[in-house]
Amino acid sequence: MQSEPGLSDDEFWARVAADGAPLVEPDPDDPAYRLVTFVHRDDDPADPCDGVLALVHTVTDKDRHAGDLTPHLMERRPGGWSRTYRLRADHRASYQLYPVRGTVPGTARTDWLRVLDGARPDPFAHGPQLPAHDGRRPSSVLALPQAPAQPYAQRRDGVPRGRTVAAEVDGRRVDVRLPAGAGAGPHPVVVLLDGEMWGEALSAGDTLDNLAADGVIPPVVALLVHTMGPGRPDDLSCNPAFVDFLADRLLPWAADGHGTVLAPDRTVIAGQSAGGLTAAFAAFRRPDRFGNALSQSGSFWWPDGTEFDEGSEWLTRQFAAEQRREARFYVEVGLQEWMLLPQNRHLRDVLTARGYALEYREFNGGHDYACWRGGLADGLAHLLGSPGPAEGR
């Protein structure tokens, strides 16, 4: 992309600062697409960097997995750098920029970790950033004009606020998000896996408060279960012991101490990636407790064929072979998730064939909290949007 005619380089960068980045233009060949230009201005013109990598979630990942990051190096322009992508007009993605000093990093794990440690948000981006949980810098968010709206993701002024109470259940950290001004209950309950990300970083309580304030869902108690530690691969891999802990220890504990219902039709378990797999498994194994499963970008490839003779997509095959459970599902996956999309579509087909109540959606994005935080609100609205018989009793 060239500077606008009649603008000096300084005036161009001033325009970028005023209008925000990335720069989005119509695709002259197809109105369903946009030309999206990411820009970076040298911090010190006397000591410019040797290059800049655009790290656009999933878009860059494809080439990283292919072993070559050079397609995402920006091109030198007066005063800085730029790179243009052709993306569909409903694309949403988090992104960062990585100034290169010396040689371009490789794609080995150690090189990629170095890139992630040094990547930074776009200083020209307008709008809220996507926080990180792992000590790295936050990301900027690209949301093209036709991307699905996310009206509940950000904190709103004037909305009554709930409060969060830290607790431990059988030695496991659980943050309990209590609704604002809703009395003693009983309340529907949402079990949200990877709770340290959703609570401490993404403030999912704001989403719950917004949904309740608009009357989209009733006031709920959310149990944000910490699952991002070393035990995550065991917990979130169709583990019967973990699901039974949630069903037999966590839910009764919440009912006794926080006024939640013990009714499967008003209980949602939600997760992403391996957590999405686990949410669906919980509804399969314990429909007596979990009548609603919200799976986002679920890892339904599990296992990969190295652990079980049956091969991959174990859970989908259980749904196909076993008696139908009394459970409802909200399943979504990104069109850019080339390693998950076929397996999620297969699960959709199996659940549909077996007569399960299923809402299935595909969004134009990747394995990305920038997408999931909107989908979480949509899923809760679908699964809890109408009051259940257990409320108010």
Side-chain angles (χ1 to χ4, degrees):
M1 179 178 180
Q2 303 297 319
S3 300
E4 294 183 38
L7 287 182
S8 68
D9 294 333
D10 286 342
E11 289 171 332
F12 168 78
W13 288 107
R15 176 69 59 82
V16 171
D19 294 345
L23 310 175
V24 179
E25 301 172 297
D27 182 341
D29 299 322
D30 190 338
Y33 285 79
R34 298 291 186 272
L35 301 179
V36 182
T37 300
F38 296 88
V39 297
H40 175 82
R41 192 171 195 184
D42 287 321
D43 296 331
D44 182 0
D47 183 27
C49 56
D50 298 306
V52 180
L53 277 170
L55 307 176
V56 185
H57 208 295
T58 302
V59 176
T60 304
D61 293 339
K62 289 182 179 180
D63 289 307
R64 177 174 68 87
H65 283 281
D68 184 11
L69 289 171
T70 56
H72 305 282
L73 278 171
M74 291 185 174
E75 299 175 352
R76 169 61 83 176
R77 59 168 299 123
W81 308 80
S82 67
R83 183 88 202 172
T84 299
Y85 295 88
R86 181 177 180 267
L87 301 173
R88 215 170 74 176
D90 58 350
H91 200 112
R92 175 179 274 110
S94 59
Y95 73 95
Q96 293 177 308
L97 306 177
Y98 177 74
V100 175
R101 298 285 179 176
T103 59
V104 178
T107 57
R109 177 174 173 79
T110 53
D111 293 328
W112 186 243
L113 291 176
R114 177 164 56 92
V115 170
L116 295 180
D117 288 340
R120 61 182 70 171
D122 185 347
F124 290 118
H126 293 178
Q129 296 179 338
L130 184 70
H133 173 71
D134 51 14
R136 296 191 173 107
R137 297 179 179 89
S139 299
S140 302
V141 177
L142 164 71
L144 291 184
Q146 295 176 20
Q150 294 186 345
Y152 302 106
Q154 303 297 329
R155 174 172 291 224
R156 297 180 187 169
D157 293 335
V159 170
R161 296 283 153 223
R163 61 188 179 92
T164 300
V165 178
E168 278 195 8
V169 181
D170 290 358
R172 183 183 295 272
R173 172 76 179 271
V174 178
D175 295 326
V176 182
R177 175 71 183 195
L178 300 170
H187 300 301
V189 60
V190 176
V191 176
L192 185 50
L193 305 174
D194 292 339
E196 57 267 61
M197 181 67 187
W198 284 105
E200 297 169 0
L202 296 177
S203 300
D206 293 336
T207 295
L208 300 175
D209 292 339
N210 294 337
L211 288 166
D214 283 4
V216 176
I217 65 172
V220 301
V221 172
L223 308 176
L224 281 65
V225 184
H226 288 220
T227 53
M228 299 183 75
R232 189 176 196 272
D234 291 330
D235 290 339
L236 305 187
S237 56
C238 296
N239 183 337
F242 177 69
V243 168
D244 289 346
F245 157 75
L246 299 176
D248 296 330
R249 287 289 296 120
L250 182 65
L251 290 180
W253 172 86
D256 289 342
H258 297 289
T260 60
V261 297
L262 278 176
D265 63 320
R266 303 309 284 163
T267 301
V268 177
I269 182 168
Q272 301 72 38
S273 192
L277 170 74
T278 299
F281 176 66
F284 174 81
R285 177 172 174 80
R286 296 299 303 270
D288 60 312
R289 289 292 198 223
F290 299 107
N292 299 279
L294 198 170
S295 172
Q296 299 179 276
S297 304
S299 299
F300 294 111
W301 54 265
W302 184 91
D304 62 4
T306 62
E307 299 180 43
F308 296 87
D309 292 338
E310 298 98 325
S312 64
E313 298 186 75
W314 177 86
L315 181 57
T316 299
R317 286 183 287 105
Q318 304 312 302
F319 277 114
E322 295 288 338
Q323 180 179 352
R324 179 183 173 276
R325 273 63 169 164
E326 289 299 324
R328 303 166 63 218
F329 295 85
Y330 182 98
V331 176
E332 70 167 16
V333 65
L335 291 172
Q336 307 304 320
E337 299 188 84
W338 71 99
M339 293 188 289
L340 291 176
L341 185 59
Q343 293 87 348
N344 275 263
R345 287 175 172 173
H346 186 202
L347 177 72
R348 171 201 62 191
D349 294 343
V350 167
L351 293 178
T352 300
R354 294 306 309 275
Y356 281 95
L358 167 68
E359 178 73 11
Y360 176 83
R361 298 184 185 182
E362 294 178 352
F363 55 87
N364 191 16
H367 211 67
D368 194 343
Y369 283 100
C371 303
W372 292 337
R373 60 185 177 181
L376 178 68
D378 293 341
L380 292 176
H382 177 78
L383 296 171
L384 292 176
S386 57
E391 290 166 66
R393 295 206 302 247

